[in-house]
Amino acid sequence: MDNSKIDSRLRISDLISKYLNGNLSGAEHAELFSWVEASEENSALFDTILNENELESRYAEYRSFNTEHALANVKARLQPSGVKPFRLPNWLLAAAAAVILCMAIGIPAYLHRSPQQVAAVIKKSHEITPGGNKAILTLANGSKVVLNGAANGNIASQGNTTIKKLSNGVVAYNKNNSIATQPATIAYNTMSTPRGGQYHLILADGTNVWLNAASSIKFPVVFNGNERKVQITGEAYFEVAHDKTKPFRVESDGQTVEVLGTHFNINAYADENEIKTTLLQGSVKIKAGSKSYLLKPGEQSHLKNGDVNITQADMDEALAWKNGVFHFNDAGIESVMKQISRWYDVDVKYEGKIKERTFSGEISMNVNASQILDAMRFKKIHYTIEGKTITVRP
């Protein structure tokens, strides 16, 4: 092998090593992914390294791995062999072996690491983990309960209502009907999720509410009077308990949704340019200003600048977050990155002129952020990660 090829492989080995450790600069990141995109073989090899499940499934092989023999095999395979292209050996699917192949001549730095250290290096390429059940409950007296840290069982009692954290992590408000007297004033609680958090709440009337990341709901401890009214920010999915005597109203910025009992989703993030309400079943009335609109199942309303437009909904997209997936249907880069920012609790910056392009597909929200971000490189989107900041570059 001539010196130029050796130098090239040494350089790629070094870049992959830095990538696995999360130490790539912006220029190095662009250089690495230029190599990845240069051929299908390069792309397949790189994807194999990032396939954590496949690597871990064969990780046991590494414990009995003979590094000297492996090094000899790698050197032999790196030699020109007629017209036969270089192929990835099956045994290199093991975590350490995959690293050895990719490092090629840069193997020595890895040969002296324990299996645990090699596994840690591989996992470091997925350093941004997904969100989970996280929320803070603010009681009427101003005290706060960090729900993801609270034990199961009774959290608090307010008037004739007991607040419990169930074994499945859901927070439920249970009204004690044996207490005849009603509180003189209405007490309000607020549940808030941070970026990287979601939560499931059951209100005193039996209505189920799922809060998406960076969202909140303000609600009465018990529903008195002739209506049930709550206020939200961000995004929430409702399964409203039917009560024909008490309409259920959801207030968000510039909009009120009124129902008797139905299933619907409201996306009202402040950084979006419209409020979207999607109806699954039943019927809802949308009020914006002095106008009202009736939604039918499968429809979605769009409130923008005071005007409401009703369209057929992409139900997979509207309910993706509740079903635990990201679902993109010709989504722009900023839309994708907003969702990543909320779920992975990261800030997003843009450098340079990012060409407008769209993304379509579905992926689990349980994966690490790098699995989503790396898929975007095929659209010529590059990124770097520093701490809790993702910088997107052309």
Side-chain angles (χ1 to χ4, degrees):
M1 183 181 294
D2 61 47
N3 289 338
S4 63
K5 289 185 177 180
I6 292 175
D7 289 343
S8 175
R9 290 179 184 262
L10 277 171
R11 177 57 178 166
I12 295 303
S13 297
D14 181 53
L15 292 176
I16 293 176
S17 177
K18 287 184 177 182
Y19 179 84
L20 291 173
N21 284 285
N23 295 327
L24 277 182
S25 68
E28 289 172 330
H29 191 280
E31 182 181 354
L32 173 60
F33 280 96
S34 291
W35 173 82
V36 170
E37 295 161 2
S39 72
E40 291 184 2
E41 287 182 333
N42 292 354
S43 178
L45 180 58
F46 190 71
D47 285 344
T48 298
I49 298 174
L50 298 184
N51 190 334
E52 185 177 4
N53 290 332
E54 186 173 9
L55 294 179
E56 288 186 344
S57 70
R58 304 197 182 188
Y59 177 62
E61 298 176 30
Y62 176 68
R63 296 185 179 277
S64 59
F65 195 67
N66 184 321
T67 54
E68 291 184 5
H69 178 67
L71 179 58
N73 276 343
V74 169
K75 285 183 175 179
R77 290 175 181 272
L78 289 176
Q79 299 300 322
S81 53
V83 296
K84 289 183 102 178
F86 174 69
R87 299 293 182 189
L88 181 65
N90 289 336
W91 55 267
L92 286 175
L93 290 173
V99 173
I100 287 173
L101 175 64
C102 292
M103 292 308 138
I105 304 170
I107 273 176
Y110 281 86
L111 294 185
H112 302 294
R113 299 190 181 198
S114 69
Q116 291 81 8
Q117 287 174 319
V118 172
V121 168
I122 293 174
K123 285 181 177 292
K124 251 188 163 179
S125 67
H126 305 282
E127 72 281 2
I128 303 180
T129 57
N133 275 359
K134 301 174 187 176
I136 293 176
L137 180 65
T138 303
L139 303 177
N141 62 7
S143 61
K144 298 180 183 295
V145 180
V146 180
L147 295 173
N148 41 300
N152 295 336
N154 288 351
I155 294 174
S157 293
Q158 295 183 299
N160 60 348
T161 302
T162 300
I163 307 169
K164 290 185 176 182
K165 182 179 179 183
L166 307 181
S167 59
N168 59 0
V170 177
V171 166
Y173 280 65
N174 298 316
K175 180 181 176 182
N176 188 344
N177 292 318
S178 65
I179 301 176
T181 59
Q182 298 291 339
T185 58
I186 300 177
Y188 287 90
N189 287 182
T190 300
M191 179 180 283
S192 305
T193 54
R195 292 193 311 186
Q198 292 180 353
Y199 222 84
H200 182 184
L201 167 69
I202 303 177
L203 301 176
D205 68 335
T207 291
N208 283 265
V209 184
W210 286 261
L211 280 183
N212 201 354
S215 302
S216 71
I217 179 169
K218 181 180 180 181
F219 56 94
V221 173
V222 64
F223 293 104
N224 294 328
N226 57 7
E227 70 171 357
R228 297 170 289 168
K229 185 167 68 175
V230 302
Q231 298 172 322
I232 70 161
T233 65
E235 186 166 21
Y237 174 81
F238 291 84
E239 292 184 356
V240 177
H242 186 78
D243 186 345
K244 64 181 180 181
T245 67
K246 289 184 179 181
F248 193 98
R249 295 184 173 95
V250 182
E251 295 181 346
S252 51
D253 186 20
Q255 172 182 282
T256 300
V257 174
E258 181 179 309
V259 303
L260 296 177
T262 187
H263 299 182
F264 60 98
N265 187 82
I266 301 178
N267 182 322
Y269 283 110
D271 60 354
E272 300 289 356
N273 62 6
E274 63 181 3
I275 296 176
K276 292 185 287 189
T277 303
T278 309
L279 180 62
L280 278 75
Q281 65 182 54
S283 64
V284 302
K285 182 187 292 184
I286 309 292
K287 292 184 177 180
S290 60
K291 297 181 180 179
S292 331
Y293 307 83
L294 193 65
L295 273 190
K296 298 176 183 178
E299 291 184 336
Q300 184 178 77
S301 66
H302 305 256
L303 172 61
K304 184 176 182 180
N305 300 325
D307 294 323
V308 172
N309 181 38
I310 297 177
T311 65
Q312 287 297 309
D314 181 337
M315 304 302 285
D316 290 335
E317 182 179 33
L319 300 177
W321 72 271
K322 183 181 176 293
N323 295 328
V325 296
F326 292 106
H327 182 93
F328 303 123
N329 185 7
D330 289 333
I333 180 65
E334 289 191 7
S335 176
V336 172
M337 295 309 297
K338 282 178 183 178
Q339 293 187 53
I340 290 175
S341 173
R342 292 172 193 143
W343 185 233
Y344 293 96
D345 186 19
V346 293
D347 296 318
V348 177
K349 295 194 310 182
Y350 298 88
E351 288 188 2
K353 187 174 182 180
I354 309 298
K355 183 180 178 181
E356 185 57 39
R357 62 208 71 190
T358 58
F359 302 85
S360 296
E362 189 171 283
I363 187 170
S364 169
M365 293 174 70
N366 290 325
V367 303
N368 294 294
S370 55
Q371 289 182 246
I372 301 176
L373 295 168
D374 286 335
M376 295 167 65
R377 73 181 185 270
F378 297 107
K379 289 277 191 172
K380 307 297 183 182
I381 291 291
H382 304 109
Y383 72 94
T384 55
I385 300 173
E386 293 184 11
K388 301 288 285 184
T389 300
I390 297 173
T391 300
V392 179
R393 297 182 172 89

